[in-house]
Amino acid sequence: MKTRPFIIIFLLIFLVLLTSCVEHKNLNPNEIAIVNGDAITREDVEKKLATFQLEKNLYEYNGFQNNIYRNLELLHLRRDLIDDIIHLLKEKKLEDAKNFISSLKNYEDLEALKYFLLKEIDHYEQILNKQDNVITAFEETLKDLLILQEAKANALIPTESELQNSYTAYLLSIQEKIDTNIYYKCFHAFCESKEKELFHLDTEEAYKAYELQKIKKELIMQKLKNEIGSYHLDSYITNQLSKSTIILNKKYNQYTSLRK
């Protein structure tokens, strides 16, 4: 993964967010925490940060056009005004963009559309707030680990046959979209290039392994939702977190750089 300096505040995370059993011990320098016997490493957190960056790249490539630009056009704004709003967003001046949209007059019949645009900008702001946010990356990595542990405990890990069948279906679906939609073809090429860049997938075998891992995660999530219920998953994971035994590396129990 790309080397980057960052600061992590594990003591604050666990005091505020967790009610579980937390200990501090000397661990392998690469290990940030041991959760119910499984390690969370620096590489795990850096991969999550790369995932956040990919989400931002894809939204700026696709979300601006589909979710913001087209809906601004539905407001029948002049093209120069639309470009001004998009420019504000790309410059990360989100409050200015929201204030501009909120101030639009004579659009009473399109209030729902204005509301949707404001919510979409809020969504983009959430994506931006995750960039280089180590605490959020750790929290999501922790959640991923707990989901995987629950899947193992409940025999919900997909079999090799399930995984390969899903991978084949995925490839067929992607190819069909590429063959019938030139815009999707460009988007998929952009996505693939960004994935290979951010996750250093230098060979076709590495990229296939990456895609299989994504599909495996999706299958696990679907099985767990079917088992627990989609609306109960977050509260269930939170409850499991409260029961977890967590060992923190003493190295990270205060403001501590992970890169020295």
Side-chain angles (χ1 to χ4, degrees), residues 195-230:
E195 288 173 324
K196 289 179 177 179
E197 172 192 338
L198 290 169
F199 297 99
H200 300 283
L201 306 171
D202 300 324
T203 66
E204 289 305 312
E205 290 78 8
Y207 188 69
K208 180 180 178 180
Y210 165 80
E211 288 191 308
L212 284 169
Q213 191 60 36
K214 284 198 304 181
I215 292 169
K216 180 180 179 180
K217 183 177 178 180
E218 291 172 3
L219 290 173
I220 288 173
M221 282 295 294
Q222 189 56 55
K223 288 187 174 189
L224 201 56
K225 286 178 179 179
N226 291 341
E227 186 80 10
I228 298 169
S230 297

Side-chain angles (χ1 to χ4, degrees), residues 243-259:
K243 301 176 183 177
S244 295
T245 298
I246 298 174
I247 301 172
L248 290 179
N249 194 330
K250 281 186 176 180
K251 184 178 181 182
Y252 305 122
N253 67 348
Q254 293 180 346
Y255 290 89
T256 307
S257 175
L258 290 180
R259 295 289 184 187

Side-chain angles (χ1 to χ4, degrees), residues 63-88:
F64 277 169
Q65 179 65 27
N66 289 340
N67 301 338
I68 295 180
Y69 200 96
R70 289 180 182 175
N71 285 291
L72 287 171
E73 288 182 321
L74 292 175
L75 287 173
H76 307 296
L77 296 176
R78 298 196 317 268
R79 184 54 59 95
D80 61 318
L81 293 179
I82 293 177
D83 290 341
D84 285 344
I85 294 172
I86 295 296
H87 178 73
L88 288 173

